[in-house]
Amino acid sequence: MGSEQQADIDLRKPAPITSFFSSLQLRRLQNSGGAVHGPIAESHTGAFLFLDLVAYTQLGEQLGAKGVKGAEDLSEILHAYYSPILGSIRDHGGDVLFFAGDAVGVIWLAEADDIANAAVRAARCALNIQSLVPGIKSAWPKSLQFRASIGVGPVEEFEVGGVNSNWMQLVRGDAIDKAYRADAIAQGGAVVLSKSCGDHLHGSGARLTPISQDFVQLHALAAQAEPIEALPE
């Protein structure tokens, strides 16, 4: 999917409250009448993408030395990058589970246990994001880079808390663990997959390079035959 077909998400515009929830949370809220009545634990299977900004700490430190102006510049820089990135995630059907500072975690659930389809969707999204990033212009004179890592497998989701009616979504699982391990060895601009994720891409014309016994780097996928249906807004 080319960048000219994508609509960026403007993070500076007021957003509906539903935009702050994952689709997993929204589905539960709809089924429960709009309230969380107690702790929840659910098990899923899918592909998990972890996207991590390279050298964010150094960027923050340099801009932080400029005081208020530096903080404003950092906000503008993150907006410039994450608007098209979130647009790509939406267009590829991904479900944002969390932000962690400069990083974002996204899941594609395996519908009808079709984990290969989830892996392909996540991989196409990661490749698309890495193709977009070099062309993004921001207040920072240098081009920033992201690491993209993907794992597949079980994902456990929890709603915990309840004190003063405050609840928090937490996730864990093999897919997330593999993505984090892949991130630890990924270079900026690369897409690194767990080997099990790469195995699910062989039918999609994936061009892969082994990195270790457990991880591979993804360079390309065969052209997509049909557009991917995005998640409803």
Side-chain angles (χ1 to χ4, degrees), residues 42-129:
E42 293 187 355
S43 297
H44 311 283
T45 301
F48 179 81
L49 166 65
F50 187 66
L51 198 67
D52 182 27
L53 177 58
V54 176
Y56 175 75
T57 300
Q58 293 90 323
L59 174 65
E61 289 175 348
Q62 291 184 45
L63 292 175
K66 299 180 180 180
V68 175
K69 179 61 167 62
E72 293 174 348
D73 286 346
L74 180 59
S75 177
E76 287 297 316
I77 292 167
L78 293 178
H79 172 265
Y81 278 87
Y82 271 106
S83 288
I85 285 172
L86 291 176
S88 178
I89 291 170
R90 176 201 58 202
D91 293 342
H92 287 83
D95 188 11
V96 175
L97 290 181
F98 62 81
F99 283 92
D102 59 299
V104 60
V106 189
I107 193 169
W108 282 259
L109 294 182
E111 302 295 340
D113 294 326
D114 188 359
I115 196 167
N117 180 264
V120 169
R121 289 156 72 91
R124 288 197 186 282
C125 181
L127 288 172
N128 180 252
I129 288 171

Side-chain angles (χ1 to χ4, degrees), residues 164-181:
N164 296 324
S165 298
N166 293 318
W167 295 91
M168 177 180 291
Q169 182 188 40
L170 299 177
V171 291
R172 70 177 186 184
D174 194 44
I176 297 173
D177 292 343
K178 289 176 178 176
Y180 285 167
R181 289 173 58 204

Side-chain angles (χ1 to χ4, degrees), residues 8 16 18 44 63 80 121 126 130 132 158 164 180 188 192 216 224:
D8 296 352
T18 53
H44 311 283
L63 292 175
R121 289 156 72 91
Q130 294 293 36
L132 292 174
F158 306 91
N164 296 324
Y180 285 167
V192 176
V216 297
Q224 186 177 315

Side-chain angles (χ1 to χ4, degrees), residues 136-159:
I136 296 174
K137 305 298 181 183
S138 74
W140 188 247
K142 301 177 183 178
S143 179
L144 300 181
Q145 290 186 316
F146 285 78
R147 291 182 289 262
S149 56
I150 304 174
V152 297
V155 173
E156 294 178 282
E157 180 201 9
F158 306 91
E159 291 283 353

Side-chain angles (χ1 to χ4, degrees), residues 3-23:
S3 60
E4 71 277 5
Q5 296 175 301
Q6 296 181 167
D8 296 352
I9 294 178
D10 191 341
L11 301 178
R12 292 169 295 194
K13 290 183 177 180
I17 188 66
T18 53
S19 66
F20 294 94
F21 294 87
S22 69
S23 64

